[in-house]
Amino acid sequence: MPYYANIAVSILFDGLAYAMFLFIVSVGLSVTMGLMGFVNLAHGAFAMAGGYVVVSLTRSLGIGFVPALVIAAFAVGAVSVVFERGLYRRLYKATDLEQVLLTIGLAFMAIATATYFYGPIPKSVPLPEWLQGDINLGFRSFPSYRAFLIVLGAVLIAVLWYAFERTNIGAKIRAAVDNRRMAESVGINVDLLFTLTFAVGSGLAALGGGLAIQLFGLSPSFAVLYLVLFLIVVAVGGLGSFKGTLLAALVLGIIDTAGKYLYADAGGFFVYAITVAVLLVKPAGFYGRE
Amino acid sequence: MAASETINPQRKQARERAAAHLLSRHHFHWAEALPWVIAIAAFYVFPDRMTFGNQVLVMVLFALSLDLILGYAGIVTLGHAAFFGLGAYTVGLGAARLGWTEPISGLFAAALISAFAGLITGWFLLRYRGLTLLMLTLATAIMLQEAGNLRSDFSGGYDGLPGLEFKPLFGVFGYDLYGRTNYVYALVVLAVVFYFVRRIVYSPFGQALTGIRENVRRMHAIGSPVHRRLVTVYTIAAGIAGIAGALFTQTNAYVTLTVFDFENSAKVMVMLILGGTGRLYGAFIGAVVYMVLEDHLSKLSPTFWQFGIGLLLVLAVLFARRGLLGLLEDAGKYLKKKKVQS
Amino acid sequence: MKFMRWLGLAALALTVGSTAQAETIKIGVVLPFSGPNADLGHQIDKAFDLYIKLHTKDIAPHKVEIVKRDEGPPTGAVAKTVTTELITNDKVQILTGFVFSPSAIALAPVVTQAKVPMIIANAGTAWITNLSPYYVRLSFSMWHHGYPMGAFAFSKIGCKTAALAYTDFPPGKDSTEAFKTGFEKAGGKVDLSIPMGSPAQVPDFTPFFQRIKDAKPDCMYVFIPSGAHATGVAKAYGELGMRKAGVKLIGPMDLIPDNKLQDMGDAAIGTIVMGNYAVDLNNAENKAFNAEWHKAYGKDSYPDFMSAAGWDTMHAIFDTIKKLNGKVEDGSKVIDAMKGWTTNGPRGKVTIDAATRDIVQDEHAMEVIRKPDGKLGIKVLGTTKAVKDECKVQKIGRCGT
């Protein structure tokens, strides 16, 4: 393959895999923020929790990596309902600042708790044979794990898109994001809807946390380390927008990868430059409501 | 006009009380002396802990600058560390590269440069609100940090600018190991800046800011130059944050690029909300409670202290909605009511 | 019977007490116990605790009292505050720990003014020891590993061209600079130099490595902080199939910290590093050290090069206390007593260079292998004896001042 085509393929492939991770974690955050205007800075803590559940399941119980991911997503999603009902619910009418304080507090507690149970040493997971090494597609080879990430991401996007755009519940969520009072007045139980999306969002975050172990390693600080990145995806995509989050994850993932590949000296710069550029032009993000 | 004369005496009385309250609001209340008395007492009670005390004062000043924009004008930002960092690097680079080691002129230079940065970024960014503004301010701070790292030959990068030496204050008071000079220096600077901020808050300009915070549309409707006022207060707050940063560098004799961290912006915001926004003294209570607790917990358990801090924040939200200062006010009101009843 | 034993003990205590004035020496330990680098702090702290537990009797009748503080993030600010207070408030007589270079850089004026000896157990930026006459370092400088690796890579591993990839902060630049100096002196050529983001976050290494893979150098010299980053490097390297593509992974030992090596999997096999320690180093002291470690912390817990440096650090402090008979009030006497100190520790023979107060130690080129018991381990390919910090030997940049 010619040199430049090879580079382009590398960037697209790695960027796509990275974008899938960003999307999976951020989409839940976007919908909860869009639906209730709730600023949930503990979202990263749910991702971290998911990661540790996967570590425990695979290491201590010997469960396979993929089933462990699924279990972690459901477990964390279920537990998140307890938090939503017990704590978050009391603050829906509160100001953003109070929500920030509560959720940052929760994230701190989560970090200390994870350190207590798992220690500060970064954890990794044993991967099945078929996710190690690389696969050859004829013209060149690709890392299998990243290919898996892309495929999984694509499947999730299809499922979520269907649920969001084609089902009754999805329509209700979209209606509630657009105009909550109106939705309530036509008899949609927004509270229940929110609990549901919160659980799904947290479950997806947990799934993302599990998937991230192979990319970044997992330590308790995961709860806050990548939080800024998720918030950027949400802001650039537009609050509460499924399409927007996907587009933002793709753009940021691919541009970040390209920046690192082509001009590593200013690697971290590009994500923020793009964020500023997009938001200056479209303050509500790609698909947010102005 | 006649109607107002026939108004019933009770309402008239209430109106007069309100007017008197408005007129006397800016008078110093005796309770306001309390934090300063405590700060001075701390100097004599904990003479060996002045290095820590000094860090607390710097954070109080930083939180105070944030209160001006967050508490009074309602501007929510996650990039306030940008101005703190600019101030810190103004005196740091001044001392390391230009040999400018006079501390007080350094403070003014830092204030000017940070304020200028506040003016430019504020003019662009304050058209936005909410999450958009959060992300834009955050990105600004991080881009400054990245720029510093790109030119680490000049900025010192993450290893920082080591061995900074500043001239003694007024050519007389040198810096001692116990940090006592630093503490007094920081306290005096804080007091001067505080007086200035207090004047702003109770001026018509300050009232206009509160108006913007409470109802932007109405302020627009009555012809108030909203954007210009927001930019003005943002510039002032940036300048004060710059002074805090400069104090930080001077009293630490060291600075690294981590002053621009997201964590720094977030922490000062958490402290302020914890103490109570829009109350001037919230910055004092928040920074002191947060840092003293952090200090104690991290001695008690160097590994798990974050749990305690997290719990404090959660409890504060659940039981002290308007910050710790709000809690104190409620307690005060409750006691007063009890007194009246009995 | 019991009473008699008590009486005997009391008599013993009395005689000991009367022959020597028993001193309690306060030692301040400053390490990152929280935050993303907490793991590094704990590796050293465990070694400190273990040494103190096993060797308290060595300094009898004197005792040590340990005061631990969190070093915080690598900003210098927290470390400076807590350390200053250890001096002014807790009145410690000896300071030790210090994982981050910025902490040591920020503290130099404080320590010099207070005349308190500070025994650095990790911070590796080369020129730190020049900053204060009260600094002694028992860990390493980035040049200890990087510089000899240059020559070794060229002549023994067969790298004619190399790419550098490093975490973009001073130790990273220091380490790659050291390698480059040695490598180019030997005749090698550096093709590519890639900074890989700040140390705060573990990045996705793939784009950086992909670019190196496309440039096809013989070797890739990687520096990353030895915490969470290390596992990420091995994984990205393995995923991209770089070994198959003919790019060898080399670097300082931070690439394969012993406590994370088992997690790295097959991808790590064949990695060649230069370093001063590995649990598989074959010497009696190291075997004893490992045995005690497993006894204290379990069979799945491993010491790493940081722990080994921590162990030697506490050893040096204890020997100095013994030598001065507990009289450690005068900081400059403590420093003088440490100059030229030497021992056979887990890392082999180490000496404190009297001129620079920095460590002199053996450097081993080590290759990661799968051991017969199925675990990952290392094989020593070659050893250079008594390596000094080359940066100070050649007086390069700030090392010359």
Side-chain angles (χ1 to χ4, degrees), chain B residues 245-292:
Chain B
L247 265 183
F248 175 82
T249 302
Q250 288 175 348
T251 53
N252 270 316
Y254 182 59
V255 61
T256 78
L257 281 180
T258 44
V259 287
F260 290 102
D261 273 357
F262 161 69
E263 214 183 290
N264 203 9
S265 299
K267 202 167 166 180
V268 72
M269 189 159 125
V270 166
M271 285 180 189
L272 181 65
I273 307 170
L274 179 67
T277 54
R279 286 189 177 79
L280 291 180
Y281 286 97
F284 287 72
I285 294 200
V288 171
V289 168
Y290 187 101
M291 291 185 74
V292 169

Side-chain angles (χ1 to χ4, degrees), chain A residues 238-249:
Chain A
L239 279 181
S241 162
F242 176 82
K243 260 190 301 187
T245 311
L246 178 57
L247 186 60

Side-chain angles (χ1 to χ4, degrees), chain A residues 14-290:
Chain A
D14 292 335
L16 213 55
Y18 188 46
M20 288 306 129
F21 162 70
L22 289 178
F23 173 77
I24 291 171
V25 180
S26 307
V27 69
L29 188 62
S30 180
V31 174
T32 46
M33 281 176 84
L35 197 60
M36 282 286 179
F38 197 97
V39 187
N40 183 14
L41 299 185
H43 195 69
F46 288 115
M48 176 205 70
Y52 278 113
V53 172
V54 171
V55 166
S56 282
L57 290 176
T58 51
R59 300 233 134 183
S60 309
L61 301 179
I63 295 173
F65 178 66
V66 176
L69 281 177
V70 177
I71 298 174
F74 278 98
V76 172
V79 170
S80 78
V81 172
V82 178
F83 281 93
E84 197 270 333
R85 290 270 147 173
L87 274 176
Y88 285 53
R89 176 140 303 227
R90 312 168 71 144
L91 289 183
Y92 288 153
K93 301 259 155 54
T95 63
D96 291 356
L97 297 183
E98 284 165 343
Q99 295 168 352
V100 163
L101 210 57
L102 176 87
T103 51
I104 277 275
L106 286 179
F108 281 176
M109 288 164 78
I111 291 175
T113 311
T115 312
Y116 183 78
F117 286 110
Y118 291 91
I121 296 181
K123 299 281 180 204
S124 64
V125 278
L127 288 182
E129 200 69 26
W130 56 277
L131 282 179
Q132 296 175 13
D134 46 5
I135 48 170
N136 205 329
L137 288 187
F139 61 104
R140 63 169 283 176
S141 61
F142 295 97
S144 334
Y145 187 76
R146 269 154 223 271
F148 166 70
L149 250 183
I150 294 175
V151 173
L152 181 69
V155 170
L156 269 176
I157 289 166
V159 170
L160 287 174
W161 180 83
Y162 182 82
F164 209 62
E165 304 283 340
R166 289 285 182 270
T167 64
N168 196 11
I169 290 181
K172 283 179 180 169
I173 292 175
R174 278 180 290 133
V177 170
D178 268 356
N179 191 335
R180 199 181 149 201
R181 279 192 198 162
M182 197 60 163
E184 275 173 343
S185 66
V186 298
I188 295 174
N189 187 344
V190 177
D191 270 9
L192 192 69
L193 214 54
F194 184 71
T195 307
L196 182 73
T197 50
F198 190 85
V200 173
S202 306
L204 284 172
L207 178 66
L211 289 168
I213 306 175
Q214 176 68 10
L215 301 180
F216 308 111
L218 178 71
S219 64
S221 314
F222 189 87
V224 290
L225 268 187
Y226 302 93
L227 189 63
V228 169
L229 215 53
F230 308 144
L231 285 172
I232 283 181
V233 173
V234 171
V236 169
L239 279 181
S241 162
F242 176 82
K243 260 190 301 187
T245 311
L246 178 57
L247 186 60
L250 286 173
V251 167
L252 292 169
I254 291 173
I255 287 183
D256 184 46
T257 307
K260 282 173 176 166
Y261 188 96
L262 298 172
Y263 190 56
D265 286 297
F269 209 81
F270 293 102
V271 173
Y272 298 101
I274 293 292
T275 306
V276 169
V278 171
L279 291 181
L280 285 178
V281 180
K282 287 189 79 78
F286 289 138
Y287 287 101
R289 288 182 313 131
E290 300 278 332

Side-chain angles (χ1 to χ4, degrees), chain C residues 59-79:
Chain C
I59 51 167
H62 310 302
K63 279 194 309 240
V64 291
E65 185 190 333
I66 303 291
V67 189
K68 291 180 187 176
R69 289 284 185 280
D70 189 355
E71 191 176 346
T75 61
V78 178

Side-chain angles (χ1 to χ4, degrees), chain B residues 15-32:
Chain B
R15 196 177 292 183
E16 272 168 3
R17 257 212 323 271
H21 173 71
L22 276 179
L23 281 174
S24 68
R25 223 157 62 90
H26 64 284
H27 290 175
F28 280 97
H29 188 258
W30 64 268
E32 285 188 61

Side-chain angles (χ1 to χ4, degrees), chain B residues 48-49 52 55 152 159 252, chain C residues 75 80-81 85 88 170 173:
Chain B
D48 298 337
R49 306 224 45 211
F52 174 67
Q55 303 278 4
S152 55
D159 246 359
N252 270 316
Chain C
T75 61
K80 183 160 184 172
T81 308
E85 289 203 346
T88 60
K173 290 175 189 165

